Amino acid sequence: MRSESQADELTLVRERIDALRSRERDLCSALIAGGEDVRLGQWSRVEVVERRVRIFDHNLLPQVLREDPLFWRDRVLTEVHCDRLGAGLMGADDAALIGMSLWN
């Protein structure tokens, strides 16, 4: 039995993902700032690795080249936007809701 619509479920999932990403950023910041003692847990070990990568910065090109249509192409993107109409963030039963909908 599905009690939520797919639109509601998608909105709930995205809200939970946003909350988890925010928590991940906080934890990563603490682990980067902390020493080895903070990076060793009861079941996990965290390693902080710094690496250098090369990127192409198109902003360093002359403006006339950046605006030249010869170097531009169009791409069609399909997006799904969610607007929350009701109550606030998901509660504890959200995992059960999502789990139920995956099996139905």
Side-chain angles (χ1 to χ4, degrees), residues 69-89:
L70 178 68
F71 299 108
W72 289 88
R73 61 187 169 97
D74 290 334
R75 180 187 298 173
V76 175
L77 301 175
T78 302
E79 298 177 342
V80 178
H81 296 269
C82 298
D83 293 319
R84 190 75 157 121
L85 302 176
L89 290 175

Side-chain angles (χ1 to χ4, degrees), residues 34-47:
E36 286 299 319
D37 56 327
V38 212
R39 297 180 188 151
L40 185 60
Q42 185 174 352
W43 300 286
S44 305
R45 180 179 59 84
V46 172
E47 182 180 5

